[in-house]
């Protein structure tokens, strides 16, 4: 028995938790077939699967992670409405240079190498979308423009991801729009202590965490807008101005 290929599906990377999970749920609620990429299985993923999402595993730090995921997507979908690059690694840069270089390679693999391969290999499926235009969204960080030296390796890789979005906007127009969403303090990590949280919020004009919906609304608006490509949309409560 052959399974029908998904049409006009939305691929979300890193969809097992937090922002990626919200984006996958939001895209499903909008009626899009969803391909939820994950690295670590979670109960939330089981819920997504039960609701009809196709869940595909993969470690994007692996040098072949991007091409392998693209191959799996091509095996499951005949066309794509959107690719949302959400998967991300985040850490303070190590003091030891050998360790820091290892981190640099990891961030580059997840934030640059994998999205680069996915965009190239999935461009034909985006081109086959039945909608007027298809979308790629690169989720970067306000640190891509204004880096924090404590996280310099991470920031440099997010800046590269942002720059790649502009190349792909040029390369894939007019069928595919490519835009960037730059989160600020959307959802603290569990390891952020009370002092760090208070300091970040004191530097944020709107004075609170944004929450996953803030990113969901930005991505949804991009998908709805037929005339926006190569744009960089900050969703940061104004923190970049601090
Ligand atoms: N949260 C914020 O306030 C904030 C601020 C600035 C920018 N951002 C950006 O917004 C996006 C979502 O943020 P978030 O806080 O939800 O991110 P997160 O909690 O760090 O989650 C990232 C996702 O990426 C996956 N991932 C990490 N390394 C991977 C790898 N090697 N291969 C495959 N998947 C991998 C994680 O899977 P596992 O479950 O397996 O780890 C997780 O599902 C990210 O791009 C982040 O950089 C967020």
């Amino acid at each position: 028995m052959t399974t029908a290929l998904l049409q006009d599906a939305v691929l979300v990377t890193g969809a097992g938790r937090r922002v990626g999970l919200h984006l996958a749920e939001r895209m499903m609620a909008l009626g899009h077939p969803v391909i939820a990429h994950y690295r670590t299985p979670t109960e939330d993923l089981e819920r997504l699967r039960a609701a009809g999402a196709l869940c595909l595993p993969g470690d994007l730090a692996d040098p072949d992670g991007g091409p392998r995921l693209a191959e799996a997507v091509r095996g499951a979908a005949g066309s794509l409405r959107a690719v949302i690059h959400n998967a991300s690694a985040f850490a303070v840069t190590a003091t030891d240079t050998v360790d820091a270089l290892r981190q640099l390679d990891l961030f580059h693999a997840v934030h640059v190498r994998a999205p680069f391969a996915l965009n190239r290999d999935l461009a034909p499926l985006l081109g086959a979308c039945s909608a007027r235009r298809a979308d790629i969204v690169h989720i970067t960080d306000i640190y891509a423009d204004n880096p924090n030296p404590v996280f310099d390796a991470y920031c440099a890789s997010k800046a590269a991801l942002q720059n790649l979005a502009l190349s792909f906007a040029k390369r894939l127009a007019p069928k595919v729009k490519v835009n960037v969403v730059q989160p600020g303090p959307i959802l603290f990590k569990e390891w952020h202590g009370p002092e760090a949280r208070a300091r970040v919020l004191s530097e944020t004009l709107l004075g609170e965490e944004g929450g996953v919906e803030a990113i969901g609304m930005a991505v949804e608006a991009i998908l709805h807008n037929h005339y926006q490509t190569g744009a960089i949309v900050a969703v940061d409560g104004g923190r970049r101005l601090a």
Side-chain angles (χ1 to χ4, degrees):
M1 194 180 80
T2 53
T3 315
L5 293 175
L6 298 173
Q7 300 301 334
D8 295 349
V10 175
L11 168 66
V12 182
T13 67
R17 57 191 173 97
R18 290 165 58 92
V19 173
L21 174 68
H22 173 74
L23 290 172
E25 286 174 330
R26 194 173 189 107
M27 292 298 129
M28 287 184 85
L30 289 171
H32 299 294
V34 164
I35 304 176
H37 155 268
Y38 68 98
R39 178 179 59 173
T40 308
T42 62
E43 282 179 18
D44 289 319
L45 266 174
E46 282 315 312
R47 207 161 30 79
L48 272 185
R49 206 190 306 268
L54 172 68
C55 300
L56 295 178
D59 186 349
L60 299 180
D62 186 317
D64 295 327
R68 258 206 305 268
L69 177 59
E71 197 183 332
V73 172
R74 286 200 309 262
S79 61
L80 286 175
R81 172 65 184 81
V83 174
I84 305 173
H85 295 291
N86 167 79
S88 174
F90 181 60
V92 168
T93 308
T95 312
D96 178 75
T97 302
V98 173
D99 292 341
L101 286 172
R102 249 184 238 119
Q103 288 178 307
L104 195 73
D105 289 344
L106 171 77
F107 294 139
H108 187 270
V110 177
H111 302 152
V112 186
R113 188 181 166 92
F116 178 76
L118 285 163
N119 286 356
R120 290 173 64 101
D121 288 356
L122 297 179
L125 293 194
L126 290 160
C129 174
S130 70
R132 179 178 178 193
R133 298 216 158 97
D135 281 272
I136 297 174
V137 181
H138 287 203
I139 303 202
T140 66
D141 195 305
I142 51 170
Y143 285 166
D145 287 340
N146 184 12
N148 179 341
V150 171
F151 299 99
D152 55 3
Y154 163 85
C155 295
S157 67
K158 285 286 189 169
L161 176 62
Q162 196 162 291
N163 182 272
L164 267 188
L166 307 185
S167 282
F168 278 105
K170 292 180 182 183
R171 184 194 285 254
L172 300 179
K175 175 69 183 180
V176 184
K177 300 181 284 131
V178 188
N179 290 289
V180 172
V181 172
Q182 273 187 341
I186 290 299
L187 207 56
F188 287 115
K189 297 282 195 186
E190 53 292 342
W191 46 261
H192 278 113
E195 267 177 38
R197 289 174 193 231
R199 184 182 45 76
V200 168
L201 295 184
S202 75
E203 295 167 0
T204 301
L205 298 185
L206 300 184
E208 60 186 15
E209 261 182 305
V212 295
E213 290 81 7
I215 302 300
M217 283 188 277
V219 170
E220 196 177 321
I222 285 170
L223 264 58
H224 275 122
N225 193 333
H226 69 284
Y227 200 59
Q228 183 181 38
T229 194
I232 297 172
V233 181
V235 184
D236 69 331
R239 180 156 190 244
R240 73 199 177 286
L241 303 178

